[in-house]
Amino acid sequence: KQYSASTNKAVYRTALDLNETETNSITVNNNTEDLIYVRLVRQGVPEKGSEQAAESNIRMDVRYTYLNGNALNPNRIIQGTDILATVKLRNISNISAMQNVALTQIFPSGWEIINQRLYAAELGEQAYYEYQDIRDDRVMTYFTLYKGNEYVFKFLLNASFPGKYYLPAVAVETMYDGSNYSRTKGQWVEVTKN
C-alpha cells in the first residue's frame, strides 16, 4: 500500500497496516529537499520462547541460587524451595550516567516474590535505586546507571505452586532511549512436589 503525508508540523505520525504473519518491507521517499528522520516503532509481546538475548551498552548477568549461594537450575525446582535471583548490571558505554534506567523482572506465576521490606530478609545494600515497585508477579526497579560501577539487585522468591510455568526475559533499558538495553532469553520452568 502507498501512503502520502504532508504536514507543516515538526512531527508526523501514522499507523501502518502491516501483515503480522508475513515479512514486510517499508520504503520512504522524500519528495522535498528538506531533511527528514524516519522512526519505526513496533510494540507487542513476543511469543513465549521466541525472545532473544541481546545487549547494547548495558551488560547484565542474571543468576538463580539457593539462599546459601549454591547454583540453582530454575528449570526444575522442588515446591517450597527459596530462590535468590541476583541481577548484576554494568554500564559498558561511553555515557557517564545513564538516567531513567528501568529493570523489569517478571517471575513465573508458580513463584512467589518475598518482599524483603515486609520481612527480616537482609539481601545486602541496594539503596542505589531511586524507586522500586513490587507487584504480585514482577519487580520494577528504577535508577541511574553510572559508568564504572557494578549494580547488584537481589530478589527473594519461593517456589510455591506445583506446575509448569514460563519465566519471561529479564529486561533492563533506558526508558527514553531505546539504544541502551540488555535482556535475557525466557524459559520454561517447573515446580515439582516433594
Side-chain angles (χ1 to χ4, degrees), residues 37-51:
Y37 298 93
V38 178
R39 183 171 168 216
L40 178 64
V41 179
R42 294 179 4 175
Q43 293 181 325
V45 178
E47 184 179 355
K48 290 179 181 175
S50 68
E51 69 268 79

Side-chain angles (χ1 to χ4, degrees), residues 2 15 22 28 40 44 70 72 79 91 96 103 111 143 148 151 154 159 161 181 189:
Q2 287 190 344
E22 295 180 12
V28 177
L40 178 64
N70 291 340
L72 170 84
Q79 181 182 16
N91 174 350
S96 61
L103 170 64
W111 297 5
F143 52 97
Y151 291 70
K154 295 181 180 181
F161 305 103
Y181 64 88
V189 296

Side-chain angles (χ1 to χ4, degrees), residues 91-99 144-149 151:
N91 174 350
I92 59 172
S93 73
N94 291 325
I95 303 168
S96 61
M98 287 185 191
Q99 297 186 351
T144 299
L145 188 58
Y146 292 95
K147 185 170 178 60
N149 295 334
Y151 291 70

